[in-house]
Amino acid sequence: MIRDITLGQYYPGDSILHRLDPRIKILATLAYIILLFIVNEWIGFAACFVFLAVEVALSKVPLSYILRGLKVIFLVILFTFVLNLFMYDGEVLVRIWKLTITDQGLKRALFMAGRLILLIISSSILTFTTTPIQLTNGLERLMKPLSKIGVPSHEIAMMMSIALRFIPTLLDETDKIMKAQQARGADFESGNILHRAKQMIPILVPLFISAFRIAQDMALAMEARCYHGGQGRTSMTEMRFRRRDYITAVILLLFAAGIITLRVLI
Amino acid sequence: MSIEVRNITHIYNKGLPQESVALKDVSFTVEDGEFLGIIGHTGSGKSTLLQHLDGLLKPDEGQILIGDVDITAPKVSLLAVRRQIGLVFQYPEYQLFDETVAADVAFGPRNLGLGQEEIDERVRESLSMVGLDYEKIKDKSPFDFSGGQKRRIAMAGVLAMRPRVLILDEPTAGLDPRAHRDVLNMIRAYHKSQADSIIILVSHNMNDIAEYADRVLVMDKGQVRMHGTPKEVFARSAELREIGLDIPDLADLAEKLLARGLHVPKDAFTIPEMAQAIAMQLRGGKTDPAAEGGEDA
Ligand SMILES: Nc1ncnc2c1ncn2[C@@H]1O[C@H](COP(=O)(O)OP(=O)(O)OP(=O)(O)O)[C@@H](O)[C@H]1O
Ligand SMILES: [Mg+2]
């Protein structure tokens, strides 16, 4: 159950998306997310959907694996949907007690939930096809201009990739601790909310202690290998844009132009 | 109350590219009062097997019967199962959480719904069983102890549930020789103190298994490779070495002495026994009761 969380994980493979330059992938994902919020008509939405569908197909990551990641945040999506459903004025479709569902509300709710789903899938495609190291290197390079104005770009990139790297480790740890407490008769599945909240203590305390221990070990191991921040650090593999990266950039620009034109015209 | 494992198979990440078969058609039985040792190379499925015995994992195929209860059945009460079975995980010290040692050890008994008096009594008893002084440490934080002491506290937490079946996953990993001995002797003492209790011990130390276990289960790549008395299992030294295991030091010594023409038994698994056998051989067949520690032949 806890292992269903696939968010932020790398999915080994050798698809064209896996081989693209991480910088292009990061920029493309950012651009795609912005476009998702520019879109406000069915047709643009359909275009975004198709674009992502092609991306998923190219990545060769099984659909079931991608959807597993969505399962975990299903509640968030549902909440957004319901909230939006009742929030807008318009032609009344259904009336439940004092709440009304309007055509505008339904449309917005569908759009918002759809946006969330596409947003999550598109960003998981980024992490599924990019190793944490590539992701860090890409982020660092993209943020490099910012270091001139004092943004610690290397440190930010490093922190992000370590955080990603530790999601599975901490999930493993949680799983182990939960089982150990269950073996001692703890019951996490029944009882009221108060009881369940209390049952979290035997999981959370050991989990925090483990997290601190892991972090400390990691810091020591990095220092033992002479890590001292980003200054003067070089990379074994230099990133270079290739033909496929330029082609991707062009496709992306065309897509963005199309979406923006749609928005302006309609 | 015996344990019967029938043809269980467990597959992790079923249907995903990382799918891995951790257990494959595993069957064996453990009788009342038995001390079962489990050995197997890293990743052979030992920990996965133990978690099945406590109902923490469900097999993809097969059944597990504890007494007459099939714990793999859909609606079985797992709390009832866990009342009978105590599982000490690998590195149990990382599961401590409560403010005081006494409260942490009491966690299991409290979950069983026992009365306060009974709980106090059990906490006191199980802490002394693991060689700790109840009065001295009961109000201290469990986090203020050394790794080895924390492990004892965690084990006391399981012993306090007085399980009929005590399962331990490498309880001596990372302990110094003294603590190592203490933990094993404590397990043996528990075994003797609870009539008909079953002990299942996973260990990478062949000497311990030879000395303590009544029967040995050998796992290899998720399957049962051998199951028998230590004598039967450790006689198959070539096969054991082939799957990344070994035989006890004394069996190894016996093998080497036999190769040199000294007739010592292959199944003398304690040092005094072996010393006596060697002495007897060297003196031409006479017994010497005082021969101890004469391991270097
Ligand atoms: N939670 C899990 N998810 C996926 N695969 C797992 C998980 N736990 C174990 N495995 C896999 O199942 C196999 C058996 O693992 P298991 O932990 O049971 O081995 P083990 O015999 O206890 O090894 P060790 O001696 O190292 O403790 C291994 O190949 C392991 O990679
Ligand atoms: Mg193990």
Side-chain angles (χ1 to χ4, degrees), chain B residues 248-267:
Chain B
D249 292 339
L250 288 172
D252 194 38
L253 176 68
E255 222 174 54
K256 288 186 176 128
L257 290 176
L258 278 166
R260 292 190 171 204
L262 208 59
H263 286 279
V264 292
K266 267 185 164 177
D267 56 337

Side-chain angles (χ1 to χ4, degrees), chain A residues 3, chain B residues 12-13 20 22 41-48 90 170 204:
Chain A
R3 293 174 168 280
Chain B
Y12 281 113
N13 299 315
S20 80
H41 57 83
T42 306
S44 58
K46 305 179 297 293
S47 302
T48 307
Q90 229 163 334
E170 293 182 49
H204 284 300

Side-chain angles (χ1 to χ4, degrees), chain A residues 11 68 179 181-182 184, chain B residues 16-17 51 82 95 104 143:
Chain A
Y11 185 94
R68 238 155 79 116
K179 280 181 178 160
Q181 307 301 24
Q182 277 176 318
R184 294 213 275 165
Chain B
L16 291 178
Q51 289 174 38
R82 288 175 194 147
Q95 75 193 30
D104 204 293
F143 303 111

Side-chain angles (χ1 to χ4, degrees), chain A residues 50-191:
Chain A
V50 171
F51 189 83
L52 191 65
V54 172
E55 222 181 284
V56 169
L58 284 178
S59 74
K60 299 222 177 89
V61 180
L63 198 61
S64 61
Y65 195 75
I66 296 172
L67 295 182
R68 238 155 79 116
L70 275 182
K71 216 159 70 182
V72 183
I73 49 153
F74 176 72
L75 272 182
V76 179
I77 297 172
L78 193 71
F79 184 72
T80 317
F81 181 79
V82 172
L83 205 67
N84 275 285
L85 203 53
F86 300 110
M87 290 296 270
Y88 293 94
D89 293 331
E91 214 172 295
V92 176
L93 297 175
V94 185
R95 195 184 294 275
I96 311 168
W97 185 49
K98 275 188 184 163
L99 299 168
T100 52
I101 299 177
T102 63
D103 58 344
Q104 280 302 312
L106 184 63
K107 186 176 160 191
R108 302 265 183 145
L110 282 175
F111 271 27
M112 229 30 223
R115 269 192 196 120
L116 260 185
I117 293 173
L118 293 186
L119 185 152
I120 284 153
I121 294 182
S122 66
S123 40
S124 2
I125 289 287
L126 170 66
T127 55
F128 281 153
T129 60
T130 318
T131 62
I133 295 200
Q134 284 183 319
L135 209 56
T136 321
N137 288 345
L139 271 175
E140 195 177 338
R141 281 300 296 275
L142 287 174
M143 287 193 297
K144 211 164 186 181
L146 293 181
S147 56
K148 293 218 172 62
I149 56 164
V151 177
S153 59
H154 169 79
E155 280 72 15
I156 292 175
M158 184 58 101
M159 265 155 43
M160 285 179 72
S161 70
I162 289 178
L164 275 183
R165 157 72 185 71
F166 276 111
I167 291 176
T169 311
L170 286 178
L171 289 180
D172 258 359
E173 204 68 21
T174 313
D175 191 52
K176 227 166 29 189
I177 293 166
M178 271 177 82
K179 280 181 178 160
Q181 307 301 24
Q182 277 176 318
R184 294 213 275 165
D187 178 10
F188 304 124
E189 268 124 44
S190 58

